[in-house]
Amino acid sequence: MCTTYRIIYSWIALVSAFSLTGCLASVRQRPTSVAPCVRETQQQIVLRWGDEDDSLQTMTRYSLNTKGEIFHYSGPIVDTIPETYLVHVELSEYCEMASSVNSSFLKTQALSVRGRRARYIEYINPHTDVFLRAMWNPDLSTFQSRDMRFEFEQLMEYIKKYRYL
């Protein structure tokens, strides 16, 4: 009887080890280089988007760098924001995202409409000293914010897609 239990436990251990090895093999490695569409002057570009609540003094923010890495912060509005790595997107999809957000900023030259709550998208390139921020009230669906609302939803879809693979 002891031999039977040992065999069963050995099989369980063996199956568990194979399962764990399979899970570890399927973990996606973080990228080490920037996306192929990124030029030398664009390597420090950061796209940020999120929500702010002035009455609660809280924010939720996502940041995307040129390697396709997405970072997240949720908590009080503070000067130094401690972001944590969340997930990364495929580099070809990063190129699509960055191009689409850039096009929306070209179409929407100025958007700064906020209420108690604000939703925003930022495009930051420290190398060229470019800082663009579009902000709108998420409780209102205005004509002026339509492109940025679309971009915001697309960015959130990428997080959902990669976060729950």
Side-chain angles (χ1 to χ4, degrees):
M1 187 154 152
C2 281
T3 306
T4 305
Y5 283 121
R6 284 186 188 153
I7 292 173
I8 291 172
Y9 286 129
S10 296
W11 275 104
I12 290 172
L14 185 63
V15 169
S16 297
F18 281 126
S19 296
L20 181 60
T21 303
C23 288
L24 292 176
S26 69
V27 172
R28 299 172 60 223
Q29 297 295 319
R30 287 175 68 174
T32 56
S33 61
V34 298
C37 61
V38 175
R39 292 178 282 173
E40 188 174 325
T41 60
Q42 298 174 323
Q43 291 186 3
Q44 297 175 342
I45 288 177
V46 176
L47 298 178
R48 291 187 191 142
W49 67 96
D51 294 292
E52 295 177 355
D53 190 316
D54 286 343
S55 63
L56 298 175
Q57 288 296 301
T58 59
M59 73 182 307
T60 299
R61 178 171 96 178
Y62 297 93
S63 299
L64 173 67
N65 65 21
T66 54
K67 292 180 182 178
E69 297 173 312
I70 298 177
F71 297 87
H72 177 253
Y73 170 78
S74 186
I77 297 174
V78 292
D79 291 335
T80 305
I81 296 178
E83 296 180 319
T84 56
Y85 174 77
L86 186 64
V87 69
H88 67 273
V89 299
E90 296 297 326
L91 295 180
S92 60
E93 288 183 313
Y94 165 82
C95 293
E96 292 172 18
M97 295 164 71
S99 175
S100 184
V101 169
N102 190 23
S103 295
S104 289
F105 268 109
L106 291 174
K107 285 194 284 185
T108 310
Q109 293 293 316
L111 179 61
S112 183
V113 180
R114 69 178 297 144
R116 180 182 64 88
R117 294 179 340 130
R119 186 161 281 168
Y120 65 92
I121 298 178
E122 297 173 340
Y123 176 95
I124 303 161
N125 186 347
H127 182 78
T128 57
D129 244 1
V130 172
F131 178 87
L132 303 171
R133 182 175 181 145
M135 186 181 319
W136 65 96
N137 184 339
D139 299 325
L140 303 173
S141 294
T142 63
F143 178 77
Q144 292 82 6
S145 67
R146 73 187 183 287
D147 292 328
M148 289 301 176
R149 283 186 285 121
F150 174 78
E151 293 300 335
F152 187 91
E153 294 304 321
Q154 291 297 108
L155 292 167
M156 294 305 290
E157 285 299 316
Y158 280 108
I159 290 174
K160 291 175 189 171
K161 175 183 175 182
Y162 284 98
R163 185 72 174 156
Y164 302 107
L165 287 179

